[in-house]
Amino acid sequence: MKSTRLRTTYHETFSGLKLFYRDTNLSENIISNYKIGQIIQEKGFTDMSSIGGGLSGNLRYLIASAHAKDLSKFNPDSAKIGHYLLDSIAYFKVLDIQKSGDKTQVFLLNIPDNSLTLFKNSTSNLEEEIIEKARKKFSDKKR
């Protein structure tokens, strides 16, 4: 990949990156399907919150994205819960998986669909930096 294209892709992915939360309850059998480095696709819309409190389920998706849409622009009540949305057909790279007791955090990086091969076959120091932040957030909030 040419260096100009590489810079553009990294800028598109990491510039303005914010962390979002989505908690749920899943069986350990399903959680164990996630693997670090895996690229996954969500065909539906992804709703999430910019407000991260304690985990409300046994699984937290911590989602790093520069492309989330703030729904409070359409519904002022959404601001109370920090409601954001990603478009359908979103791609994610599993950057990290943290477990503590019965709680698990799967850290996902929202990636552009035109760069799947790049993110599947490489890692960057930017990814390593945000992984450290994600681990700290999980440690602080798993209680």
Side-chain angles (χ1 to χ4, degrees):
M1 183 175 272
K2 294 183 178 179
S3 64
T4 304
R5 176 71 184 121
L6 186 63
R7 276 194 302 273
T8 301
T9 298
Y10 275 106
H11 179 76
E12 182 181 341
T13 304
F14 293 100
S15 182
L17 198 69
K18 294 179 183 166
L19 294 177
F20 300 94
Y21 306 87
R22 181 175 172 90
D23 292 352
T24 190
N25 283 302
L26 290 178
S27 72
E28 189 58 41
N29 192 34
I30 293 174
I31 294 171
S32 68
N33 288 323
Y34 290 101
K35 306 293 182 218
I36 294 174
Q38 176 183 33
I39 304 294
I40 59 175
Q41 177 191 50
E42 174 54 53
K43 294 181 181 178
F45 291 95
T46 304
D47 64 317
M48 55 205 178
S49 176
S50 61
I51 301 169
L55 277 75
S56 63
N58 71 331
L59 176 70
R60 167 163 286 169
Y61 293 104
L62 180 61
I63 302 167
S65 178
H67 304 287
K69 309 290 188 287
D70 182 356
L71 294 182
S72 69
K73 294 175 183 174
F74 306 102
N75 178 358
D77 289 338
S78 291
K80 296 174 189 170
I81 59 169
H83 197 189
Y84 281 75
L85 187 74
L86 287 174
D87 289 336
S88 62
I89 317 291
Y91 291 90
F92 302 94
K93 180 177 182 179
V94 178
L95 293 184
D96 196 36
I97 301 168
Q98 292 291 302
K99 288 186 172 286
S100 179
D102 64 343
K103 305 288 185 185
T104 302
Q105 175 174 278
V106 176
F107 184 33
L108 303 172
L109 175 64
N110 181 215
I111 58 175
D113 61 354
N114 61 355
S115 61
L116 300 178
T117 303
L118 169 68
F119 281 98
K120 184 176 184 175
N121 296 320
S122 67
T123 60
S124 70
N125 60 340
L126 293 171
E127 289 177 27
E128 292 169 12
E129 287 176 27
I130 62 174
I131 288 169
E132 288 306 314
K133 290 179 185 176
R135 287 180 178 176
K136 180 163 181 10
K137 285 197 175 291
F138 181 61
S139 177
D140 292 347
K141 296 183 185 218
K142 69 183 173 200
R143 299 175 196 92

